[in-house]
Every structure is written in structure tokens, then in C-alpha cells.
Amino acid sequence: MAKDIVVEIRNLTKRIGNKTIVDNLSFDIPKGEVFGLLGPNGAGKTTTIRMMVGLMSITSGDVFIDGLNIRSDFREAMKRIGCIVETPEMYKFLTGYQNLLHFARMSSDISRERINEVVELVGLKKRINDKVKTYSLGMRQRLGLAKALLHKPSVLILDEPTNGLDPAGIRELRDHLRKLANQEGLTVIVSSHLLSEMELMCDRVAVLQHGRLISVKRVHDMVSGTNEQITVFDVNQLDHAEKVISATVNRPAETTNHGLAVRVTREETSQVVEALVAAGIKVYWVNVRTKTLEESFLELTGDSDLV
Ligand SMILES: Nc1ncnc2c1ncn2[C@@H]1O[C@H](COP(=O)(O)OP(=O)(O)OP(=O)(O)O)[C@@H](O)[C@H]1O
Ligand SMILES: [Mg+2]
């Protein structure tokens, strides 16, 4: 096992009755990575996570956390995991701090210093002495995060952490997770069915469909990919411009609401601009439409059941 691999999933399978819900998943996650489980509803994300954190039995296969097999070394392995799978239970009439104190007392050796440290980490210092019932959803979520971090886990696992958060809340969560991964070396696993979120939040994503692993990819590679990009030229004299573009790159340009779209390389883009200007056409904008994760997902699965 490579030294910095923190999570190792080997042939993980869950069958219920005659239905295979999670089918032979294998992947590794190194220290300090934000890793996404991406897939549509029913793909098996929650089931995978529940098996990883011991909330559901494993039919076959193995999960190793810091090299510890969760089947044979359950307690030790669980000490290294912090998770929020279902909405964490908090006592609404206690303050955030009192809640953390309560959870800290339930496990051994968590100091007051550690409580203060996690409060600081999740950015809840100002409101930590207010009652939880006065918290917004985003603040409750941060308190949940603080709770999950109390025992200094090496892996943080969050099932659909952005559910119910507004865009600002999602952004904050993303920044927190990134900070935890970069500064604390925490390995983070998040699940989502939302491509746009995973694209911004994760280093790599595992694409799941019908319980199977379609691929594990670096988000950057999924989004950038090839050298040719669909490029939209916002110009005047559309008919004339279309002729100039197709003559320059030897392929037709398509008229869209935003201008003429054509698949070109970086080099061709400059040739097109030059030709347009030489033909007396005004070029207002040139926009490259990078492939979205959604388009990449469709290429991988041939399926469009993602939102
Ligand atoms: N206890 C269970 N008994 C029978 N089937 C189950 C059970 N738990 C989950 N399933 C089925 O397993 C499949 C995967 O469910 P899972 O909850 O893991 O998906 P998910 O990817 O988390 O979906 P979502 O995006 O909706 O949360 C679904 O078809 C679900 O109906
Ligand atoms: Mg789920």
C-alpha cells in the first residue's frame, strides 16, 4: 500500500435480496484529497458511505482506513472517521458549545482546547454560545462538521452535504472543506448528484451509476480534456461572417443566440479572428465554451439521468 493512501476500497459489494445495490467498487484516496462520489438518485452513494462507516453490513469486499480493515479492526478504523450521514442530532435548547461539550464527553480524551480548535476551524466562534435553535441551516451544518471533527479523524465523510444550503452556504462549505484538506491534511469524501458542485468542490470524482463505478477522474481532466473547444464568435454581419469562418477552418459554423459557434483549436481561433477583421467584420466577444462536467458525464455513461 502506498504510504499516503488513507482510504482503500476493494471490491466493495452490497446485495439486498437478489438486488446488487453496490457492485464491486474499488478505488483509493490519498491523504488531503477532496474526493467525490457522483451519481444520480439511487446510484448507491449513500449505501457505499453507510458501509464505509459501519452503519450497514458489507456483503463482500473490504474497506481500509489508514490501512485498518473495518471488518477486522472496526473500532480502531472508526476512530479515524468523522462522518455526517444523516442530519446530525443536536440539542436545540443548548448552545453550540454545550452540544460539542456533550459529544466530547461521550468519547474519551477530547480536550476543551480541541473543542475551541474545531469551533475556530469551522468558523462558528461568534455564534458558538448561542442556542442551536437560533442557528440557520448553514450554521447547524457547521456545528455538525465541528462535531465530526472533534476526535481528529483522518477521513471526513459527508453524504450530500450541500442539501438545503443556499449558494453562499455551499460556497462556505466548499471553502471549509478545502481548508481542512489543504491545511490539516484531512481526506474528505463527499457525495452529490449535482455535477456543478462536484466540479467546484472535488479534486477527483468517482462516477457511480446503478451501483457500479463508471470511472474515477480528476475533475480538471473531465472539464478541460481536448484541445479543440466549441468557441462562440459574437460578430456583426452573421451571414458574411459564417462564410469567412467556414472558409478559414473548413467546417461550418452554427448560428446561436450568442453568435457563431464552431469547434476550433486555440491556433484556429486567432486565424478566425484575423480573417473576420480582414473581411471588415466586427468581433465583439470570443467565448470558449469549456466542456461541463455534465457533458463529460454523458460521454462516460451515455445516460442523461443527472440533474
Ligand atoms: N435497505 C434497503 N433495502 C432495499 N433496497 C435499498 C436499501 N437501501 C437502499 N436501497 C436501494 O439501493 C439503491 C441505492 O440507494 P442509495 O440510497 O445508496 O442511492 P444514492 O446514490 O444515495 O441515491 P440518492 O441520490 O437518492 O441519495 C436504490 O435503488 C435504493 O432503492
Ligand atoms: Mg443518498
Side-chain angles (χ1 to χ4, degrees), residues 50-77:
R50 289 174 70 88
M51 285 194 283
M52 291 178 70
V53 302
L55 286 171
M56 195 184 237
S57 66
I58 295 173
T59 304
S60 61
D62 288 295
V63 175
F64 299 89
I65 308 289
D66 277 341
L68 297 162
N69 188 327
I70 71 161
R71 285 176 187 263
S72 52
D73 253 324
F74 184 75
R75 286 176 67 89
E76 275 308 308

Short mmCIF file of all heavy atoms in Angstrom, two decimals, residues 50-77:
data_model
loop_
_atom_site.label_atom_id
_atom_site.label_comp_id
_atom_site.label_asym_id
_atom_site.label_seq_id
_atom_site.Cartn_x
_atom_site.Cartn_y
_atom_site.Cartn_z
N ARG A 50 -22.60 4.29 3.90
CA ARG A 50 -23.07 3.59 5.11
C ARG A 50 -22.21 2.36 5.40
O ARG A 50 -21.93 2.05 6.56
CB ARG A 50 -24.54 3.20 4.97
CG ARG A 50 -25.48 4.42 5.04
CD ARG A 50 -26.92 4.02 4.77
NE ARG A 50 -27.46 3.23 5.85
CZ ARG A 50 -28.06 3.73 6.93
NH1 ARG A 50 -28.21 5.03 7.04
NH2 ARG A 50 -28.52 2.95 7.88
N MET A 51 -21.79 1.68 4.36
CA MET A 51 -20.89 0.52 4.58
C MET A 51 -19.53 0.99 5.10
O MET A 51 -18.95 0.37 5.98
CB MET A 51 -20.71 -0.26 3.28
CG MET A 51 -21.91 -1.11 2.92
SD MET A 51 -21.53 -2.30 1.64
CE MET A 51 -21.54 -1.26 0.19
N MET A 52 -19.04 2.11 4.55
CA MET A 52 -17.72 2.61 4.95
C MET A 52 -17.66 3.02 6.41
O MET A 52 -16.62 2.96 7.04
CB MET A 52 -17.32 3.81 4.09
CG MET A 52 -17.04 3.45 2.66
SD MET A 52 -16.61 4.93 1.72
CE MET A 52 -15.02 5.29 2.43
N VAL A 53 -18.80 3.50 6.93
CA VAL A 53 -18.78 4.00 8.30
C VAL A 53 -19.44 3.01 9.28
O VAL A 53 -19.70 3.36 10.42
CB VAL A 53 -19.43 5.40 8.43
CG1 VAL A 53 -18.73 6.39 7.51
CG2 VAL A 53 -20.92 5.35 8.09
N GLY A 54 -19.69 1.81 8.82
CA GLY A 54 -20.18 0.77 9.71
C GLY A 54 -21.66 0.87 10.05
O GLY A 54 -22.11 0.24 10.99
N LEU A 55 -22.43 1.63 9.28
CA LEU A 55 -23.86 1.72 9.55
C LEU A 55 -24.63 0.62 8.82
O LEU A 55 -25.82 0.44 9.02
CB LEU A 55 -24.41 3.08 9.10
CG LEU A 55 -24.05 4.27 9.99
CD1 LEU A 55 -24.46 5.58 9.33
CD2 LEU A 55 -24.72 4.14 11.35
N MET A 56 -23.93 -0.08 7.94
CA MET A 56 -24.57 -1.15 7.17
C MET A 56 -23.55 -2.24 6.95
O MET A 56 -22.36 -1.95 6.78
CB MET A 56 -25.02 -0.55 5.84
CG MET A 56 -26.01 -1.39 5.08
SD MET A 56 -26.33 -0.63 3.49
CE MET A 56 -28.07 -0.43 3.57
N SER A 57 -23.99 -3.48 6.99
CA SER A 57 -23.02 -4.56 6.82
C SER A 57 -22.55 -4.63 5.37
O SER A 57 -23.25 -4.21 4.45
CB SER A 57 -23.67 -5.88 7.22
OG SER A 57 -24.71 -6.16 6.31
N ILE A 58 -21.34 -5.17 5.21
CA ILE A 58 -20.75 -5.32 3.88
C ILE A 58 -21.06 -6.73 3.39
O ILE A 58 -20.88 -7.69 4.14
CB ILE A 58 -19.22 -5.11 3.97
CG1 ILE A 58 -18.91 -3.67 4.38
CG2 ILE A 58 -18.52 -5.50 2.68
CD1 ILE A 58 -17.44 -3.40 4.67
N THR A 59 -21.57 -6.85 2.18
CA THR A 59 -21.83 -8.20 1.65
C THR A 59 -20.52 -8.87 1.28
O THR A 59 -20.24 -9.99 1.68
CB THR A 59 -22.76 -8.13 0.41
OG1 THR A 59 -23.96 -7.46 0.78
CG2 THR A 59 -23.09 -9.53 -0.10
N SER A 60 -19.69 -8.17 0.50
CA SER A 60 -18.34 -8.67 0.25
C SER A 60 -17.43 -7.52 -0.12
O SER A 60 -17.89 -6.43 -0.45
CB SER A 60 -18.34 -9.74 -0.85
OG SER A 60 -18.82 -9.17 -2.05
N GLY A 61 -16.12 -7.77 -0.04
CA GLY A 61 -15.14 -6.73 -0.31
C GLY A 61 -14.65 -6.12 0.99
O GLY A 61 -15.08 -6.53 2.07
N ASP A 62 -13.74 -5.16 0.89
CA ASP A 62 -13.12 -4.57 2.07
C ASP A 62 -12.98 -3.06 1.98
O ASP A 62 -12.88 -2.51 0.89
CB ASP A 62 -11.72 -5.17 2.27
CG ASP A 62 -11.80 -6.60 2.74
OD1 ASP A 62 -12.29 -6.81 3.87
OD2 ASP A 62 -11.41 -7.52 1.98
N VAL A 63 -12.98 -2.46 3.16
CA VAL A 63 -12.69 -1.02 3.28
C VAL A 63 -11.53 -0.89 4.27
O VAL A 63 -11.60 -1.44 5.37
CB VAL A 63 -13.91 -0.26 3.84
CG1 VAL A 63 -13.57 1.21 4.07
CG2 VAL A 63 -15.11 -0.39 2.90
N PHE A 64 -10.47 -0.22 3.86
CA PHE A 64 -9.34 0.04 4.76
C PHE A 64 -9.25 1.54 5.02
O PHE A 64 -9.30 2.33 4.08
CB PHE A 64 -8.02 -0.40 4.13
CG PHE A 64 -7.96 -1.88 3.83
CD1 PHE A 64 -8.39 -2.37 2.60
CD2 PHE A 64 -7.44 -2.77 4.77
CE1 PHE A 64 -8.33 -3.73 2.32
CE2 PHE A 64 -7.38 -4.13 4.48
CZ PHE A 64 -7.83 -4.61 3.26
N ILE A 65 -9.13 1.90 6.29
CA ILE A 65 -8.91 3.30 6.67
C ILE A 65 -7.56 3.35 7.35
O ILE A 65 -7.35 2.66 8.36
CB ILE A 65 -10.00 3.80 7.65
CG1 ILE A 65 -11.41 3.52 7.12
CG2 ILE A 65 -9.79 5.28 7.98
CD1 ILE A 65 -11.87 4.34 5.95
N ASP A 66 -6.64 4.12 6.82
CA ASP A 66 -5.26 4.15 7.33
C ASP A 66 -4.70 2.73 7.45
O ASP A 66 -4.03 2.40 8.42
CB ASP A 66 -5.21 4.82 8.72
CG ASP A 66 -5.16 6.34 8.61
OD1 ASP A 66 -4.80 6.86 7.54
OD2 ASP A 66 -5.49 7.00 9.62
N GLY A 67 -5.03 1.91 6.50
CA GLY A 67 -4.52 0.53 6.49
C GLY A 67 -5.29 -0.42 7.40
O GLY A 67 -4.99 -1.62 7.43
N LEU A 68 -6.26 0.08 8.14
CA LEU A 68 -7.02 -0.80 9.05
C LEU A 68 -8.28 -1.30 8.36
O LEU A 68 -9.07 -0.50 7.85
CB LEU A 68 -7.43 -0.02 10.30
CG LEU A 68 -6.30 0.50 11.17
CD1 LEU A 68 -6.80 1.60 12.12
CD2 LEU A 68 -5.70 -0.66 11.98
N ASN A 69 -8.45 -2.60 8.37
CA ASN A 69 -9.64 -3.18 7.76
C ASN A 69 -10.84 -2.96 8.67
O ASN A 69 -10.80 -3.35 9.84
CB ASN A 69 -9.40 -4.69 7.55
CG ASN A 69 -10.51 -5.31 6.72
OD1 ASN A 69 -11.67 -4.90 6.80
ND2 ASN A 69 -10.15 -6.31 5.93
N ILE A 70 -11.89 -2.34 8.16
CA ILE A 70 -13.01 -2.02 9.05
C ILE A 70 -13.76 -3.28 9.50
O ILE A 70 -14.50 -3.24 10.47
CB ILE A 70 -14.01 -0.99 8.47
CG1 ILE A 70 -14.84 -1.55 7.34
CG2 ILE A 70 -13.32 0.29 8.05
CD1 ILE A 70 -16.09 -0.72 7.11
N ARG A 71 -13.54 -4.39 8.82
CA ARG A 71 -14.20 -5.61 9.30
C ARG A 71 -13.46 -6.18 10.51
O ARG A 71 -14.08 -6.56 11.49
CB ARG A 71 -14.18 -6.67 8.21
CG ARG A 71 -15.17 -6.46 7.08
CD ARG A 71 -14.85 -7.59 6.15
NE ARG A 71 -15.50 -7.59 4.87
CZ ARG A 71 -16.60 -8.29 4.61
NH1 ARG A 71 -17.23 -8.93 5.56
NH2 ARG A 71 -17.06 -8.32 3.40
N SER A 72 -12.11 -6.24 10.42
CA SER A 72 -11.38 -6.90 11.50
C SER A 72 -10.90 -5.92 12.57
O SER A 72 -10.58 -6.33 13.68
CB SER A 72 -10.20 -7.67 10.92
OG SER A 72 -9.44 -6.83 10.09
N ASP A 73 -10.83 -4.63 12.23
CA ASP A 73 -10.33 -3.64 13.18
C ASP A 73 -11.33 -2.51 13.33
O ASP A 73 -10.97 -1.33 13.29
CB ASP A 73 -9.01 -3.05 12.63
CG ASP A 73 -7.83 -3.56 13.40
OD1 ASP A 73 -7.98 -3.73 14.63
OD2 ASP A 73 -6.77 -3.76 12.79
N PHE A 74 -12.58 -2.87 13.47
CA PHE A 74 -13.67 -1.91 13.39
C PHE A 74 -13.47 -0.67 14.28
O PHE A 74 -13.50 0.45 13.81
CB PHE A 74 -15.00 -2.59 13.72
CG PHE A 74 -16.17 -1.67 13.55
CD1 PHE A 74 -16.62 -1.33 12.29
CD2 PHE A 74 -16.81 -1.12 14.65
CE1 PHE A 74 -17.70 -0.46 12.12
CE2 PHE A 74 -17.87 -0.25 14.49
CZ PHE A 74 -18.32 0.08 13.23
N ARG A 75 -13.22 -0.90 15.56
CA ARG A 75 -13.15 0.24 16.49
C ARG A 75 -12.02 1.20 16.15
O ARG A 75 -12.21 2.41 16.12
CB ARG A 75 -13.00 -0.25 17.94
CG ARG A 75 -14.30 -0.84 18.48
CD ARG A 75 -14.09 -1.39 19.87
NE ARG A 75 -13.80 -0.32 20.82
CZ ARG A 75 -14.75 0.35 21.48
NH1 ARG A 75 -16.01 0.05 21.31
NH2 ARG A 75 -14.43 1.30 22.33
N GLU A 76 -10.86 0.64 15.88
CA GLU A 76 -9.70 1.48 15.54
C GLU A 76 -9.95 2.25 14.25
O GLU A 76 -9.63 3.42 14.12
CB GLU A 76 -8.43 0.63 15.41
CG GLU A 76 -7.73 0.37 16.72
CD GLU A 76 -7.44 1.64 17.51
OE1 GLU A 76 -6.86 2.58 16.93
OE2 GLU A 76 -7.82 1.72 18.70
N ALA A 77 -10.55 1.55 13.27
CA ALA A 77 -10.81 2.19 11.98
C ALA A 77 -11.82 3.33 12.16
O ALA A 77 -11.65 4.42 11.61
CB ALA A 77 -11.32 1.17 10.97
#
